[in-house]
Amino acid sequence: MYRYDEFDHDIVQSRVAQFRDQVQRRLEGAITEDQFKPLRLQNGLYLQLHAYMLRVAIPYGTLNSKQIRQLAMIADKYDRGYGHVTTRQNMQYNWPELTDVPDILQDLADVEMHAFQTSGNCIRNVTSDPYAGATSEEVEDPRPTAELLRQWSTIHPEFAFLPRKFKIAVTASKSDRAVIRAHDIGIEIVRNDAGEVGYHVLVGGGLGRTPIIGVTLRAFLPRVELLPYLEAVMRVYNRYGRRDNKYKARIKILVQETGIEDFKAQVDAEYETLDPAEIAVSDSEVARIAAYFAPPEFEALSDEDAEFDAAYKADASFANWVDTNIATHKAPGYAIVNISLKPLDRAPGDITSDQMRAAGDLADEFSFSELRTTHQQNIVLPHVKKSDLPALFKALAAHKMADANIGLIGDIICCPGMDFCALATARSIPISQAISERFSDPARQRAIGEMQIKISGCINACGHHHVGHIGILGLEKAGVEFYQVKLGGDASETAAVGDVTGPGFSHDELLDGIDRLVDFYMSTREEGERFIDSYRRLGMAPFKEVLYGT
Amino acid sequence: MSAKHKGKGPQALTANHLREGFVVWLTPDMGWSPHFKDALLSEDETVIDQMQAQGDKDDSDNLITGVYFIDVDAETKLPARYRERFRVGGPSYDTAAHIKKHGVR
Ligand code: HEM
Ligand code: SF4
């Protein structure tokens, strides 16, 4: 896994020292807030509605047990005993004090972590498939590519002052678990007809106030061309991206205004001026990085396990959890385990320090010490023996981490909203809690099947509401919160932006409306259909009618 | 940063404490309190000028940051804007409160 070289070590250590000095100078008044703000943001430190907020980078969502225990320690020592997993696989602390942040960064550096590239107009922390290295679907592990991009983009002088933030996601499976089509650049590792591995490059996706699904820039980019080609893309963006208007500064607007064909031509022209050999990394370097991600030594097992089968038959709650939270592993006899961070009474994505420690211990015991954070705001143990699943389930239940709701209506994505965020227009956490409560019956959840509800507390769309099967946007007018609904969004490989249904709803109207939507879908769905499938088949009109109860 | 008030009705002056980051309001004795009930509310332009001078001074003395005036509802004595009412009340849900209540982390 990500093994942070000497190079990183030196940069991170010097950054901690630098920031300690910057904080000191800020407190003494040697620098003003205007001078300090960009410096703190470069280290992931925001000022939020009630307090500072620190966003810690988790490159492509990969963590080891030692790191998650350190995150727990930080939550206890400097914060309020918990952290929040974000839709870009990072972890946020809601209550750090400025004077503690240099120490927090040092504690992170001690386990090879930091808060770089979690804020500002740079290439942000690269995200990836939480099943990387474990799923049978993948062409190869996408993390070496993500890591290559991380190294290339980290503190790259040319990319430190882009027109706007820039987000990249990498997957290597047909099933998209990283929302690559809602990223500035999405990369899918693919194999061509000749059997060679290369990159399907998408560009110009994004959410925010102007949601756009990314389009293909190159259907197959040969492996060696990746960095030079992306460098050409970044240069075109740096040159032509709109710096005059913050709302039009993302690459998606440039691609829309230029047209994908002309944009492609500009990138190609720029590529011609580059010396690819100067930028591309050697095969040996690629191999060196890939070696970091060498798979653990899986035992040679049969995919049939008597112990597992017996437990599955004997214990219905275990069987339900297996049915929803377990995914197929590439190694026979192993499974990918999703740990839900969506219990009824919590904010989606919040995890307490005790739960972090428990997750770390269980990763040591059952998953080669490896964990992942997901854009769905959950946790994954990537490599668990099937025979260990009953014991793991028991241990998770003891820490309230055994909710069997992955991919179901209770597995809601939700941003912090007005409860924490300085930019919010309305609350989002109470809406997610009320929906979870309304649909708390596990049998009903399972009957409804796959359903993705996504909630944002303002137009910035951090909660991905544009791509929710049901998307909810919180707004406010004259001191009263109301909620706009979108239907038919999709965050997967068949990505789509949802359609606005019409005027917004109060909290209570919204809940009743969703109830009616779900009942209607259940009554009209055809064999094997998910909510999104029925919506696509029938279109907006009948759903709108039941939503508004007309 | 200095925030000239442009609001209507009674004004309060708010900011974040620089070191801790927590929300504070200016009090009648020209100090800062984390409790809105302690806040100085005034419509008197002379007092408002004094409040502004104090805010600017404490900002440049690195005690607080992000200082600005807010409108206060004359009847309810609460901030007029929805967002500011949240800064008074804190999060309506916080896992920290959950942890405290149940005694488990
Ligand atoms: C300090 C709190 C936050 C601030 C100030 C903030 C700010 C913003 C802004 C301004 C945008 C719109 C960007 C654009 O369209 O150019 C945005 C988008 C986004 N944010 Fe946040 N956000 C915050 C918290 C979060 C959290 C907690 C998450 C994850 C749960 C998150 C994930 C995202 C994502 C995924 C997007 C949309 C993707 C895109 O950039 O197109 N943000 N954020
Ligand atoms: S969507 Fe809006 S309210 Fe939610 S975290 Fe993003 S900026 Fe804040």
Side-chain angles (χ1 to χ4, degrees):
Chain A
M1 46 195 285
Y2 163 50
R3 208 171 293 161
Y4 183 100
D5 324 56
E6 282 296 304
F7 161 80
D8 292 287
H9 180 83
D10 294 347
I11 297 178
V12 172
Q13 291 295 342
S14 68
R15 261 291 189 90
V16 174
Q18 225 176 40
F19 191 62
R20 194 178 291 284
D21 181 53
Q22 288 159 351
V23 169
Q24 198 50 41
R25 285 191 294 142
R26 173 70 186 103
L27 295 174
E28 287 163 359
I31 50 176
T32 65
E33 184 65 19
D34 286 347
Q35 292 166 322
F36 180 62
K37 188 174 169 186
L39 302 173
R40 69 166 158 74
L41 287 175
Q42 277 166 23
N43 291 285
L45 188 64
Y46 291 74
L47 188 56
Q48 279 291 13
L49 198 59
H50 312 291
Y52 290 105
M53 179 275 277
L54 182 68
R55 188 180 287 162
V56 176
I58 303 179
Y60 28 86
T62 295
L63 278 173
N64 62 36
S65 55
K66 195 167 132 198
Q67 290 172 324
I68 200 169
R69 275 190 217 106
Q70 189 80 338
L71 292 174
M73 187 283 283
I74 289 169
D76 283 342
K77 185 169 174 191
Y78 307 103
D79 210 87
R80 296 189 180 173
Y82 72 100
H84 174 76
V85 175
T86 79
T87 45
R88 297 205 76 256
Q89 298 179 292
N90 294 320
M91 178 155 315
Q92 293 186 175
Y93 293 109
N94 286 330
W95 302 101
E97 298 183 16
L98 176 60
T99 43
D100 285 334
V101 175
D103 292 337
I104 299 177
L105 295 181
Q106 183 60 57
D107 288 343
L108 289 171
D110 290 347
V111 292
E112 307 186 331
M113 295 182 79
H114 54 72
F116 294 0
Q117 288 167 290
T118 60
S119 170
N121 297 337
C122 60
I123 298 183
R124 297 287 186 91
N125 185 37
V126 176
T127 57
S128 188
D129 185 349
Y131 294 178
T135 172
S136 53
E137 287 179 74
E138 71 191 13
V139 171
E140 63 178 28
D141 189 328
R143 291 174 302 163
T145 296
E147 170 60 8
L148 186 64
L149 294 174
R150 188 194 67 79
Q151 293 192 9
W152 164 74
S153 65
T154 298
I155 320 187
H156 190 308
E158 232 184 288
F159 309 149
F161 299 98
L162 297 169
R164 196 81 176 86
K165 57 170 109 165
F166 202 92
K167 300 178 179 177
I168 304 179
V170 186
T171 63
S173 300
K174 271 279 156 254
S175 307
D176 180 0
R177 286 171 289 263
V179 212
I180 63 171
R181 284 158 186 83
H183 278 75
D184 296 276
I185 288 185
I187 296 173
E188 183 191 355
I189 300 175
V190 292
R191 203 184 293 279
N192 68 7
D193 294 341
E196 297 153 337
V197 173
Y199 303 104
H200 174 197
V201 181
L202 297 121
V203 71
L207 301 173
R209 64 182 61 217
T210 318
I212 296 176
I213 300 299
V215 293
T216 297
L217 183 60
R218 284 287 291 271
F220 187 85
L221 182 71
R223 183 155 232 162
V224 292
E225 292 186 50
L226 182 67
L227 294 188
Y229 190 77
L230 292 188
E231 189 124 348
V233 175
M234 298 311 296
R235 285 194 177 174
V236 170
Y237 173 51
N238 230 344
R239 190 172 318 135
Y240 299 119
R242 301 259 314 248
R243 288 175 192 267
D244 60 316
N245 182 341
K246 168 175 165 180
Y247 301 121
K248 297 193 167 171
R250 297 287 290 270
I251 197 172
K252 63 190 173 189
I253 306 293
L254 179 65
V255 172
Q256 292 282 308
E257 288 184 351
T258 315
I260 184 68
E261 288 310 321
D262 286 353
F263 182 80
K264 212 181 271 183
Q266 287 174 352
V267 171
D268 288 342
E270 183 63 37
Y271 190 67
E272 288 301 310
T273 72
L274 293 174
D275 179 4
E278 218 169 75
I279 303 162
V281 290
S282 63
D283 287 348
S284 62
E285 177 62 11
V286 171
R288 190 183 68 87
I289 291 177
Y292 289 166
F293 299 90
E297 290 193 13
F298 297 120
E299 292 171 37
L301 300 172
S302 153
D303 218 26
E304 301 303 319
D305 185 85
E307 218 175 306
F308 168 81
D309 290 342
Y312 189 88
K313 281 202 192 88
D315 178 353
S317 61
F318 174 65
N320 288 335
W321 177 77
V322 167
D323 290 346
T324 49
N325 291 34
I326 302 302
T328 310
H329 199 280
K330 64 181 178 189
Y334 283 83
I336 299 169
V337 174
N338 286 278
I339 300 175
S340 166
L341 298 182
K342 315 289 173 68
L344 256 190
D345 53 355
R346 297 275 181 86
D350 278 9
I351 177 168
T352 68
S353 55
D354 277 350
Q355 290 178 322
M356 291 185 222
R357 275 184 288 270
D361 292 348
L362 293 171
D364 280 341
E365 196 175 348
F366 297 118
S367 181
F368 298 93
S369 304
E370 267 198 60
L371 306 108
R372 310 287 169 72
T373 49
T374 82
H375 93 269
Q376 286 279 146
Q377 305 182 286
N378 294 312
I379 300 245
V380 162
L381 297 181
H383 315 294
V384 180
K385 276 197 253 180
K386 273 177 135 175
S387 56
D388 286 335
L389 288 176
L392 173 61
F393 175 67
K394 233 183 235 146
L396 287 173
H399 294 277
K400 292 197 173 352
M401 289 196 287
D403 288 76
N405 58 7
I406 296 293
L408 303 184
I409 196 167
D411 188 6
I412 296 170
I413 287 187
C414 178
C415 80
M418 187 64 100
D419 285 309
F420 293 96
C421 180
L423 303 177
T425 42
R427 284 178 298 170
S428 45
I429 294 170
I431 294 291
S432 88
Q433 289 172 326
I435 295 173
S436 297
E437 181 68 43
R438 180 68 70 105
F439 294 94
S440 58
D441 175 6
R444 187 169 178 218
Q445 287 208 27
R446 286 195 301 278
I448 295 167
E450 186 188 327
M451 170 72 96
Q452 310 228 313
I453 295 191
K454 303 183 198 282
I455 311 172
S456 303
C458 82
I459 196 167
N460 287 319
C462 306
H464 290 192
H465 68 279
H466 299 299
V467 291
H469 296 172
I470 298 178
I472 299 170
L473 167 62
L475 298 165
E476 175 244 351
K477 200 171 179 182
V480 180
E481 294 171 319
F482 68 101
Y483 296 88
Q484 201 180 66
V485 174
K486 282 192 149 191
L487 295 176
D490 179 354
S492 76
E493 60 281 5
T494 46
V497 171
D499 311 308
V500 178
T501 56
F505 300 91
S506 70
H507 177 284
D508 290 352
E509 287 167 355
L510 176 70
L511 286 174
D512 292 342
I514 292 177
D515 227 341
R516 287 192 301 271
L517 271 183
V518 168
D519 284 345
F520 171 70
Y521 143 71
M522 300 280 281
S523 68
T524 56
R525 70 174 166 189
E526 293 181 349
E527 183 67 29
E529 268 187 354
R530 304 167 301 162
F531 176 84
I532 181 80
D533 302 321
S534 303
Y535 178 82
R536 284 185 177 146
R537 177 169 56 81
L538 296 168
M540 162 81 90
F543 286 90
K544 183 171 170 176
E545 206 170 292
V546 291
L547 177 64
Y548 285 88
T550 49
Chain B
M1 190 171 80
S2 159
K4 279 240 179 330
H5 101 96
K6 306 185 210 66
K8 283 201 292 274
Q11 299 291 300
L13 193 67
T14 186
N16 288 79
H17 195 276
L18 177 65
R19 286 172 170 264
E20 285 114 38
F22 304 139
V23 179
V24 287
W25 293 269
L26 188 69
T27 58
D29 61 358
M30 296 290 142
W32 297 92
S33 168
H35 307 293
F36 181 73
K37 64 173 172 43
D38 301 336
L40 168 60
L41 311 179
S42 182
E43 282 191 85
D44 181 333
E45 287 298 331
T46 325
V47 175
I48 289 174
D49 286 348
Q50 284 169 1
M51 291 164 81
Q52 173 150 0
Q54 189 69 40
D56 289 349
K57 177 175 184 303
D58 291 341
D59 192 342
S60 64
D61 285 350
N62 313 305
L63 195 64
I64 52 159
T65 185
V67 56
Y68 59 96
F69 281 102
I70 58 170
D71 292 354
V72 177
D73 185 302
E75 272 170 34
T76 64
K77 299 274 190 290
L78 279 174
R81 275 188 67 199
Y82 182 69
R83 175 184 192 275
E84 293 305 321
R85 293 207 289 273
F86 266 90
R87 289 177 78 248
V88 169
S92 67
Y93 171 85
D94 184 10
T95 293
H98 189 96
I99 289 170
K100 233 183 195 163
K101 186 167 152 205
H102 297 277
V104 288
R105 288 194 181 271

